[in-house]
Amino acid sequence: MANLMDSRPLYPDGQSRSNKTARDALQGLWRALDMPDEAMDYIDLSGAEPVLPSSFPVGTAAQASMAAAALAAAELWHLRGGARQRVAVDMLHAAQECRSYFTLDGVTPEVRDKITGAYRCGDGGWVRIHANFAHHRDGALALLGCPTGAATTRAQVEQALSQWRALDFEQQAAEAGLVVAAMRSFDEWDRHPQGLALAGQPALAVERIGEADPRPLPRYGHDARPLKDIRVLDLTRIIAGPVCGRALAAYGADVMLINSPHLPNIETIAETSRGKLSVHADLETADGRIALANLLRSAHVFVQGYRPGAMQALGFGPQEAARLRPGIVYVSLSAYGDSGPWAQRRGFDSLVQTATGFNHAEAQAAGSQAPKPLPMQILDHASGYLMAYGAQAALARQAVEGGSWHVRVSLAQTARWLRSLGRVPDGLQCAMPPIEGFLESESSGFGQLAAVRHAAQFSLTPARWARPSMPPGTHPTVWPFS
């Protein structure tokens, strides 16, 4: 219930229009992992809300999460004997980087299937269907009794959903392993069993999961980047996890993206693979699991975005990884967290926005009945940077204290963190800014890639991607020589 003594105006959902500054948000993240307070004297945050059209401080979330990852890299550099350096992140630049904008050979790839989107159901509720993968699209169409395949139209889907209750379709889709979410308000999500399961949990968790001797990080000359010779296994797909690996690569890590030769990818892999090695390994086969185990034995960080429990079933859960590689930093990403009735549920940024109340709240702010998405997939991008931040904080702990560590991030918890930042008065009146001035172009294995250059600036060790993005399976499943 709103405090009657508080004169700040409220949105229809009761949220205050005031919002935390990016420095407040960063400091909260920084202190949550007990990172050194003195490092905060070396961060420069420029810009102010609104930078993109939203009633939520999406620019603040982009800037603060990216700054946490970048400042952690600078702190690792200091731990390795380097001087403390200044890190600067501009809010507009950070937000532009989180838009996933890119072109290949001058063309913007189509990454969204025409069936993907929000639909009104027969009971007046709304559902969002994610159909960017053909098997998810065809599964949803089959559940609706529509013809499968690319020829089916949105009108056919709308007609079929007019016979459904929104929550019923969401539940049956989940039971079929599909990706659908019903639109809820913040209040409805907070009373939902999964919302209750996540209440009070931190934006990211870092816990010690095993014993291992400290592995001090080697020291290098002043021209090396903070994560030089840090080996990262990246078993993630779509956006959030790949953003984590891309950030670590920008700060100097050897990041190896591992794809199954049998699973599809979306076009954004060209943009999120900057700086990475890219290999194939089929974990459903003994050869694939042996290859991964061999890589893990000399890795520092293991990042995975499988549903909770899936990696354990393959023999590479947190405890198994810590036995294979004592001292590992294991990073897990999930959609809805690893506890509660939705822990096993598939989800993407757009669906988590819908389920947790953002589409409803943004629509209210816009005076619209239809679900209104945020202007970019900020849950994905902020989660990716929080993963990178947590991984580096755990690396610092390992180097000093020893131990094996588990970092856990979920899109739903990132959503709660975004809510905690408040709202932006008249934020929806902000025009979508041009992006062209933030682009850089380079040759890649996918064609000539133009994408947003990294927004985090380092005074001594500039961030850069030393390797071009390449298609899955380009590189051998061995680490490069130092």
Side-chain angles (χ1 to χ4, degrees), residues 110-123:
E110 180 56 61
V111 299
R112 176 178 164 137
D113 187 271
K114 65 182 180 182
I115 298 300
T116 292
Y119 298 86
R120 191 159 198 160
C121 294
D123 64 345

PDB file of all heavy atoms in Angstrom, residues 110-123:
ATOM      1  N   GLU A 110      16.551 -10.683 -40.355  1.00  0.00           N
ATOM      2  CA  GLU A 110      15.254 -10.883 -39.726  1.00  0.00           C
ATOM      3  C   GLU A 110      15.400 -11.962 -38.660  1.00  0.00           C
ATOM      4  O   GLU A 110      15.681 -13.121 -38.974  1.00  0.00           O
ATOM      5  CB  GLU A 110      14.214 -11.312 -40.761  1.00  0.00           C
ATOM      6  CG  GLU A 110      12.822 -11.531 -40.172  1.00  0.00           C
ATOM      7  CD  GLU A 110      12.301 -10.319 -39.431  1.00  0.00           C
ATOM      8  OE1 GLU A 110      12.159  -9.255 -40.067  1.00  0.00           O
ATOM      9  OE2 GLU A 110      12.058 -10.442 -38.210  1.00  0.00           O
ATOM     10  N   VAL A 111      15.257 -11.579 -37.404  1.00  0.00           N
ATOM     11  CA  VAL A 111      15.464 -12.537 -36.316  1.00  0.00           C
ATOM     12  C   VAL A 111      14.156 -12.939 -35.656  1.00  0.00           C
ATOM     13  O   VAL A 111      14.153 -13.755 -34.730  1.00  0.00           O
ATOM     14  CB  VAL A 111      16.416 -11.949 -35.242  1.00  0.00           C
ATOM     15  CG1 VAL A 111      17.773 -11.641 -35.846  1.00  0.00           C
ATOM     16  CG2 VAL A 111      15.818 -10.691 -34.613  1.00  0.00           C
ATOM     17  N   ARG A 112      13.031 -12.408 -36.128  1.00  0.00           N
ATOM     18  CA  ARG A 112      11.748 -12.658 -35.465  1.00  0.00           C
ATOM     19  C   ARG A 112      10.779 -13.314 -36.436  1.00  0.00           C
ATOM     20  O   ARG A 112      10.539 -12.806 -37.534  1.00  0.00           O
ATOM     21  CB  ARG A 112      11.183 -11.333 -34.958  1.00  0.00           C
ATOM     22  CG  ARG A 112       9.817 -11.418 -34.331  1.00  0.00           C
ATOM     23  CD  ARG A 112       9.417 -10.039 -33.832  1.00  0.00           C
ATOM     24  NE  ARG A 112       7.992  -9.963 -33.565  1.00  0.00           N
ATOM     25  CZ  ARG A 112       7.461  -9.388 -32.511  1.00  0.00           C
ATOM     26  NH1 ARG A 112       8.248  -8.839 -31.622  1.00  0.00           N
ATOM     27  NH2 ARG A 112       6.153  -9.345 -32.355  1.00  0.00           N
ATOM     28  N   ASP A 113      10.194 -14.443 -36.025  1.00  0.00           N
ATOM     29  CA  ASP A 113       9.182 -15.110 -36.826  1.00  0.00           C
ATOM     30  C   ASP A 113       7.877 -14.310 -36.776  1.00  0.00           C
ATOM     31  O   ASP A 113       7.550 -13.681 -35.766  1.00  0.00           O
ATOM     32  CB  ASP A 113       8.940 -16.521 -36.289  1.00  0.00           C
ATOM     33  CG  ASP A 113       8.026 -17.337 -37.181  1.00  0.00           C
ATOM     34  OD1 ASP A 113       6.802 -17.273 -36.967  1.00  0.00           O
ATOM     35  OD2 ASP A 113       8.535 -18.021 -38.075  1.00  0.00           O
ATOM     36  N   LYS A 114       7.109 -14.336 -37.861  1.00  0.00           N
ATOM     37  CA  LYS A 114       5.879 -13.542 -37.927  1.00  0.00           C
ATOM     38  C   LYS A 114       4.840 -13.977 -36.900  1.00  0.00           C
ATOM     39  O   LYS A 114       3.957 -13.198 -36.515  1.00  0.00           O
ATOM     40  CB  LYS A 114       5.275 -13.617 -39.333  1.00  0.00           C
ATOM     41  CG  LYS A 114       4.802 -15.011 -39.739  1.00  0.00           C
ATOM     42  CD  LYS A 114       4.266 -15.040 -41.156  1.00  0.00           C
ATOM     43  CE  LYS A 114       3.802 -16.442 -41.549  1.00  0.00           C
ATOM     44  NZ  LYS A 114       3.312 -16.495 -42.943  1.00  0.00           N
ATOM     45  N   ILE A 115       4.919 -15.219 -36.422  1.00  0.00           N
ATOM     46  CA  ILE A 115       3.956 -15.709 -35.441  1.00  0.00           C
ATOM     47  C   ILE A 115       4.310 -15.227 -34.031  1.00  0.00           C
ATOM     48  O   ILE A 115       3.457 -15.145 -33.151  1.00  0.00           O
ATOM     49  CB  ILE A 115       3.869 -17.244 -35.477  1.00  0.00           C
ATOM     50  CG1 ILE A 115       3.385 -17.706 -36.857  1.00  0.00           C
ATOM     51  CG2 ILE A 115       2.952 -17.797 -34.400  1.00  0.00           C
ATOM     52  CD1 ILE A 115       2.013 -17.174 -37.252  1.00  0.00           C
ATOM     53  N   THR A 116       5.568 -14.889 -33.806  1.00  0.00           N
ATOM     54  CA  THR A 116       5.989 -14.392 -32.499  1.00  0.00           C
ATOM     55  C   THR A 116       5.239 -13.116 -32.152  1.00  0.00           C
ATOM     56  O   THR A 116       5.087 -12.222 -32.975  1.00  0.00           O
ATOM     57  CB  THR A 116       7.505 -14.124 -32.501  1.00  0.00           C
ATOM     58  OG1 THR A 116       8.195 -15.369 -32.591  1.00  0.00           O
ATOM     59  CG2 THR A 116       7.939 -13.403 -31.239  1.00  0.00           C
ATOM     60  N   GLY A 117       4.751 -13.031 -30.904  1.00  0.00           N
ATOM     61  CA  GLY A 117       4.090 -11.806 -30.472  1.00  0.00           C
ATOM     62  C   GLY A 117       2.967 -12.068 -29.498  1.00  0.00           C
ATOM     63  O   GLY A 117       2.757 -13.195 -29.025  1.00  0.00           O
ATOM     64  N   ALA A 118       2.203 -10.985 -29.195  1.00  0.00           N
ATOM     65  CA  ALA A 118       1.116 -11.040 -28.215  1.00  0.00           C
ATOM     66  C   ALA A 118      -0.225 -11.219 -28.904  1.00  0.00           C
ATOM     67  O   ALA A 118      -0.464 -10.664 -29.987  1.00  0.00           O
ATOM     68  CB  ALA A 118       1.114  -9.768 -27.376  1.00  0.00           C
ATOM     69  N   TYR A 119      -1.103 -11.991 -28.260  1.00  0.00           N
ATOM     70  CA  TYR A 119      -2.429 -12.283 -28.800  1.00  0.00           C
ATOM     71  C   TYR A 119      -3.465 -12.210 -27.681  1.00  0.00           C
ATOM     72  O   TYR A 119      -3.214 -12.656 -26.553  1.00  0.00           O
ATOM     73  CB  TYR A 119      -2.481 -13.695 -29.392  1.00  0.00           C
ATOM     74  CG  TYR A 119      -1.555 -13.920 -30.554  1.00  0.00           C
ATOM     75  CD1 TYR A 119      -0.219 -14.294 -30.345  1.00  0.00           C
ATOM     76  CD2 TYR A 119      -2.009 -13.792 -31.864  1.00  0.00           C
ATOM     77  CE1 TYR A 119       0.636 -14.521 -31.411  1.00  0.00           C
ATOM     78  CE2 TYR A 119      -1.160 -14.021 -32.943  1.00  0.00           C
ATOM     79  CZ  TYR A 119       0.158 -14.379 -32.716  1.00  0.00           C
ATOM     80  OH  TYR A 119       0.996 -14.599 -33.779  1.00  0.00           O
ATOM     81  N   ARG A 120      -4.655 -11.702 -28.041  1.00  0.00           N
ATOM     82  CA  ARG A 120      -5.766 -11.673 -27.091  1.00  0.00           C
ATOM     83  C   ARG A 120      -6.498 -13.005 -27.143  1.00  0.00           C
ATOM     84  O   ARG A 120      -6.746 -13.549 -28.221  1.00  0.00           O
ATOM     85  CB  ARG A 120      -6.724 -10.538 -27.411  1.00  0.00           C
ATOM     86  CG  ARG A 120      -7.755 -10.303 -26.306  1.00  0.00           C
ATOM     87  CD  ARG A 120      -8.342  -8.925 -26.362  1.00  0.00           C
ATOM     88  NE  ARG A 120      -8.972  -8.574 -25.099  1.00  0.00           N
ATOM     89  CZ  ARG A 120      -9.223  -7.341 -24.729  1.00  0.00           C
ATOM     90  NH1 ARG A 120      -8.871  -6.334 -25.508  1.00  0.00           N
ATOM     91  NH2 ARG A 120      -9.813  -7.100 -23.582  1.00  0.00           N
ATOM     92  N   CYS A 121      -6.846 -13.509 -25.971  1.00  0.00           N
ATOM     93  CA  CYS A 121      -7.554 -14.788 -25.887  1.00  0.00           C
ATOM     94  C   CYS A 121      -9.048 -14.551 -25.673  1.00  0.00           C
ATOM     95  O   CYS A 121      -9.501 -13.427 -25.463  1.00  0.00           O
ATOM     96  CB  CYS A 121      -6.977 -15.626 -24.746  1.00  0.00           C
ATOM     97  SG  CYS A 121      -5.266 -16.133 -25.023  1.00  0.00           S
ATOM     98  N   GLY A 122      -9.785 -15.649 -25.698  1.00  0.00           N
ATOM     99  CA  GLY A 122     -11.230 -15.554 -25.616  1.00  0.00           C
ATOM    100  C   GLY A 122     -11.742 -14.999 -24.307  1.00  0.00           C
ATOM    101  O   GLY A 122     -12.857 -14.464 -24.243  1.00  0.00           O
ATOM    102  N   ASP A 123     -10.968 -15.110 -23.231  1.00  0.00           N
ATOM    103  CA  ASP A 123     -11.404 -14.594 -21.933  1.00  0.00           C
ATOM    104  C   ASP A 123     -10.976 -13.155 -21.704  1.00  0.00           C
ATOM    105  O   ASP A 123     -11.153 -12.614 -20.609  1.00  0.00           O
ATOM    106  CB  ASP A 123     -10.869 -15.477 -20.808  1.00  0.00           C
ATOM    107  CG  ASP A 123      -9.350 -15.479 -20.724  1.00  0.00           C
ATOM    108  OD1 ASP A 123      -8.692 -15.042 -21.702  1.00  0.00           O
ATOM    109  OD2 ASP A 123      -8.806 -15.921 -19.693  1.00  0.00           O
TER     110      ASP A 123
END
